[in-house]
């Protein structure tokens, strides 16, 4: 067994087609097939079911795929660590959910001021993907709701973010200082792409149910705040979003939600086994900024 065979197997599992997999790996189809067969002999079990028009993973192949991806990720991380050790500037890979939120941006600004030599690479990814990237060693720090974090991911709550609703500029809610959650029952609500933000969708739906209704969900989904704002501005739907959204978007307004007042919990996420100085610096900055700006204060005693 060698790393090349693992890579070929992973590529084949993604394509489920020998021709396409071979093209991705820039080898002939027969060579890829031979390498996968050698891998199966080394493992001692069939990993792939083959027929003239069909390729599928066996149960053993599906289980092996999880481990193979982790092995390749660890090798990639080992190479990155080695390159980083030989580099004059340390690097940190930080996950963000959407560039439209300001929490991580503010934290990174302070970290960069304290460590000007630090090179920060921002990776936009949903919270479930951040969990996997952290576990695989392809991300150093993330941000999101930590309720569903696996045991390998540590977290530090640093912000209770008031939840509000984004509405079109001419909407009947525009004259209201705040919007009771119950009145959202009359409006179609936009949710985020489920694969990308299941924890935020769950939070929104639970808030509505606590107010006595199941929301009418707009059929489309989005992957960014800007895309959501475009739909809202067109009058197609409303969108629940925390106050940390950096700014109002053209054609939209934001109003806080009440009855109940809800706060979305933001946490810094990192690999539990990672005790590096720069990861600790981000966690420390999050705590300091949270205390200075009162991010964990909740004014409404009935808040979620």
């Amino acid at each position: 067994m060698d790393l090349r065979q693992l890579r070929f197997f992973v590529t084949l599992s993604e394509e489920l087609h020998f021709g396409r997999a071979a093209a991705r790996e820039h080898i002939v189809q027969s060579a890829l097939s031979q390498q996968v067969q050698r891998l199966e002999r080394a493992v001692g079990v069939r990993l792939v079911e083959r027929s003239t028009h069909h390729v599928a993973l066996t149960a053993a192949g599906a289980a092996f795929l999880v481990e193979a991806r982790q092995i390749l990720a660890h090798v990639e991380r080992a190479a990155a660590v080695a390159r980083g050790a030989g580099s004059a500037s340390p690097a940190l890979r930080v996950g963000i959910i959407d560039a439209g939120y300001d929490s991580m941006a503010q934290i990174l600004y302070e970290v960069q001021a304290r460590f000007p030599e630090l090179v920060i690479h921002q990776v936009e990814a949903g919270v479930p993907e951040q969990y996997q990237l952290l576990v695989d060693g392809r991300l150093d720090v993330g941000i999101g709701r930590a309720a569903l974090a696996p045991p390998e991911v540590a977290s530090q709550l640093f912000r209770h973010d008031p939840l509000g609703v984004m509405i079109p500029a001419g909407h009947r809610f525009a004259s209201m200082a705040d919007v009771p959650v119950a009145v959202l029952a009359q409006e179609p609500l936009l949710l985020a792409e489920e694969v990308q933000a299941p924890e935020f969708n769950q939070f929104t739906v639970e808030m509505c149910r606590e107010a006595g209704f199941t929301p009418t969900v707009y059929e489309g989904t989005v992957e960014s705040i800007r895309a959501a704002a475009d739909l809202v501005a067109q009058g197609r739907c409303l969108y629940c979003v925390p106050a940390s959204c950096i700014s109002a978007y053209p054609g939209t307004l934001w109003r806080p939600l009440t009855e109940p007042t809800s706060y979305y919990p933001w946490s810094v996420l990192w690999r539990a086994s990672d005790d590096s100085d720069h990861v600790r610096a981000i966690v420390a900055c999050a705590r300091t900024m949270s205390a200075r700006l009162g991010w964990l204060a909740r004014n409404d005693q009935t808040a979620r």
Side-chain angles (χ1 to χ4, degrees), residues 230-279:
D230 289 342
L231 288 176
V232 171
Q234 294 169 30
R236 296 178 179 272
C237 54
L238 305 186
Y239 187 54
C240 294
V241 63
S244 62
C245 181
I246 286 177
S247 61
Y249 291 91
T252 69
L253 300 170
W254 184 88
R255 294 291 182 265
L257 288 167
T258 58
E259 302 176 29
T261 300
S262 295
Y263 295 88
Y264 193 73
W266 292 109
S267 294
V268 176
L269 312 168
W270 70 97
R271 200 165 38 262
S273 59
D274 189 346
D275 195 35
S276 63
D277 291 341
H278 291 114
V279 168

Side-chain angles (χ1 to χ4, degrees), residues 111-291:
V111 171
Q112 199 77 79
R114 289 176 55 184
F115 301 96
E117 80 288 352
L118 181 63
V119 176
I120 295 176
H121 301 285
Q122 295 190 38
V123 179
E124 192 166 308
V127 178
E129 185 180 0
Q130 288 188 43
Y131 290 155
Q132 191 59 54
L133 292 173
L134 286 165
V135 171
D136 290 346
R138 290 179 286 165
L139 201 66
D140 300 303
V141 179
I143 184 175
R145 187 184 180 198
L148 303 178
E152 301 93 333
V153 174
S155 64
Q156 172 67 54
L157 177 68
F158 70 88
R159 187 170 189 173
H160 285 136
D161 201 357
L163 196 66
V165 61
M166 186 183 292
I167 61 176
H171 196 274
R172 60 192 178 88
F173 293 168
S175 61
M176 302 168 65
D178 49 55
V179 177
V181 173
V183 302
L184 298 181
Q186 307 164 25
E187 303 285 342
L189 285 186
L190 175 66
L191 296 180
E193 181 68 41
E194 182 64 19
V195 174
Q196 189 172 22
E199 72 295 327
F200 186 76
N201 289 345
Q202 179 187 40
F203 188 87
T204 300
V205 171
E206 287 177 353
M207 175 190 68
C208 293
R209 287 175 176 165
E210 286 182 18
F213 70 98
T214 298
T216 300
V217 177
Y218 180 74
E219 290 187 358
T221 58
V222 295
E223 295 185 359
S224 70
I225 296 175
R226 181 165 294 281
D230 289 342
L231 288 176
V232 171
Q234 294 169 30
R236 296 178 179 272
C237 54
L238 305 186
Y239 187 54
C240 294
V241 63
S244 62
C245 181
I246 286 177
S247 61
Y249 291 91
T252 69
L253 300 170
W254 184 88
R255 294 291 182 265
L257 288 167
T258 58
E259 302 176 29
T261 300
S262 295
Y263 295 88
Y264 193 73
W266 292 109
S267 294
V268 176
L269 312 168
W270 70 97
R271 200 165 38 262
S273 59
D274 189 346
D275 195 35
S276 63
D277 291 341
H278 291 114
V279 168
R280 283 187 291 164
I282 287 188
V283 176
C285 277
R287 289 197 192 103
T288 301
M289 183 173 289
S290 176

Side-chain angles (χ1 to χ4, degrees), residues 88-111:
S89 300
L92 200 68
R93 295 156 300 176
V94 178
I96 60 171
I97 293 177
D98 189 300
Y101 291 107
D102 68 0
S103 295
M104 183 58 85
Q106 292 187 61
I107 294 169
L108 293 181
Y109 181 84
E110 288 210 1
V111 171

